[in-house]
Amino acid sequence: MLVLITYDVETVTKSGQRRLRSVAKCCQNYGQRVQNSVFECVINEEQAVILKAKLTEIIDMKKDSIRIYYLGNNYISKVEQIGIKTSYDPTGDLII
């Protein structure tokens, strides 16, 4: 299934900057960055649960936010690209 992860992490403090890098690194382990704070992850349900738990551990619940969109297995018809597009195949191999 395709899962879209978006996040907003407070970066005024050094700890916030570390959290931001940690969130991005965690998301990179599961998917592809498509915009600054947006990742597309083609993962199964078990991986989605693990990813959510890891992200929950990283963020400060009082300062940061993460939104997770579960687009399911028929995501191709739900995603539309407008404007400049880099070549990215979410079903292709993910190199970490």
Side-chain angles (χ1 to χ4, degrees):
M1 78 174 137
L2 178 66
V3 176
L4 187 70
I5 308 284
T6 66
Y7 54 89
D8 188 16
V9 177
E10 173 274 319
T11 58
V12 176
T13 64
K14 293 283 185 190
S15 62
Q17 293 168 9
R18 279 192 296 275
R19 289 192 313 276
L20 177 66
R21 287 190 300 274
S22 294
V23 167
K25 186 174 180 179
C26 183
C27 289
Q28 284 174 343
N29 289 332
Y30 289 87
Q32 174 73 34
R33 182 190 301 264
V34 293
Q35 292 187 356
N36 286 339
S37 297
V38 181
F39 280 81
E40 289 180 354
C41 306
V42 178
I43 55 180
N44 61 37
E45 289 182 37
E46 181 181 349
Q47 291 170 316
V49 169
I50 293 168
L51 175 57
K52 180 181 175 182
K54 288 180 179 181
L55 292 172
T56 301
E57 288 178 12
I58 294 170
I59 67 166
D60 181 330
M61 298 290 245
K62 295 180 181 177
K63 297 179 182 177
D64 310 325
S65 68
I66 293 178
R67 294 180 65 90
I68 303 172
Y69 301 87
Y70 300 94
L71 298 178
N73 292 320
N74 292 328
Y75 60 86
I76 292 175
S77 65
K78 297 176 184 174
V79 178
E80 182 177 353
Q81 173 69 38
I82 300 172
I84 190 166
K85 180 180 179 184
T86 57
S87 61
Y88 161 62
D89 178 8
T91 61
D93 293 333
L94 177 64
I95 299 173
I96 299 175

